[in-house]
Amino acid sequence: FDDPLWTPARVEEVLVRDDSVRETLVVEDRSGALLATASVRLDPVNYPGDGYVHWVAAAPAARGRGLGRLATLAVLHAFRPLGCAGAVLETDDHRLPAIRVYLGLGFVPVCWHESHAGRWSAIRAALHTSR
């Protein structure tokens, strides 16, 4: 939403034309303004049998209202009819509000790189101080 790299053309390429993205869910206000979004993605090579929570975002003016959580829950529900046994996601370290939502929904970190333990320690400390 507030990233200048996300032009309409890039959204078209990365979300709309990507065959692994099964559905992009949006939260709109009554006027039709886009408030939040998340995508239903399948990546059977890297995550066989699981759904991939993809590109969760909220408009800057809509942040802090639980809409990212709502969009994530909608994606999780969309995985059921696709036969997904679980769900995965990836995010950036600085997205503390999103990480708080994901942890609250039951996601757990998977440390597969030597840097991850230290990064998660820093994230947990930042989450604790930002409450």
Side-chain angles (χ1 to χ4, degrees):
F1 285 97
D2 56 354
D3 184 341
L5 296 176
W6 281 99
T7 63
R10 184 159 184 230
V11 169
E12 177 80 20
E13 176 188 338
V14 174
L15 293 176
V16 177
R17 293 190 182 182
D18 182 345
D19 291 338
S20 73
V21 177
R22 296 298 184 96
E23 188 175 4
T24 298
L25 306 169
V26 298
V27 179
E28 298 177 337
D29 68 11
R30 288 187 175 112
S31 72
L34 182 62
L35 300 177
T37 185
S39 294
V40 176
R41 182 175 181 229
L42 298 180
D43 183 353
V45 172
N46 294 307
Y47 305 106
D50 292 333
Y52 186 108
V53 179
H54 187 53
W55 290 114
V56 178
R63 291 188 183 146
R65 295 171 38 191
L67 300 177
R69 183 178 190 280
L70 178 69
T72 302
L73 283 170
V75 167
L76 294 174
H77 284 284
F79 290 146
R80 282 187 181 175
L82 296 174
C84 297
V88 298
L89 59 85
E90 299 170 309
T91 194
D92 296 312
D93 297 20
H94 69 275
R95 298 188 67 224
L96 295 178
I99 292 170
R100 183 175 282 118
V101 167
Y102 303 146
L103 293 173
L105 289 172
F107 284 91
V108 294
V110 175
C111 297
W112 54 265
H113 186 271
E114 63 187 36
S115 70
H116 288 179
R119 290 166 61 188
W120 273 107
S121 179
I123 289 168
R124 284 193 172 93
L127 287 172
H128 181 72
T129 60
S130 69
R131 285 194 175 256

